[in-house]
Amino acid sequence: MTTLFAFYVLIWPALTLGVLALIIRAVIRDRRQARVESRELV
């Protein structure tokens, strides 16, 4: 039971890091595309 609880607690930082990486990657891609099209990001 302890191992399962430890896995449950430790999976959240991993999931959060994955989502954060996905968001950062998308923002960088949008920023580059906006720069190519000579427009603002927002």
Side-chain angles (χ1 to χ4, degrees):
M1 188 68 179
T2 303
T3 304
L4 183 63
F5 183 69
F7 176 76
Y8 178 76
V9 168
L10 293 175
I11 195 67
W12 293 111
L15 289 174
T16 303
L17 183 62
V19 170
L20 181 63
L22 182 71
I23 291 171
I24 289 173
R25 201 169 129 195
V27 168
I28 290 172
R29 185 188 63 210
D30 287 347
R31 185 176 174 196
R32 285 182 182 164
Q33 187 174 1
R35 185 175 291 171
V36 168
E37 295 174 0
S38 297
R39 61 177 173 86
E40 294 184 15
L41 182 60
V42 179

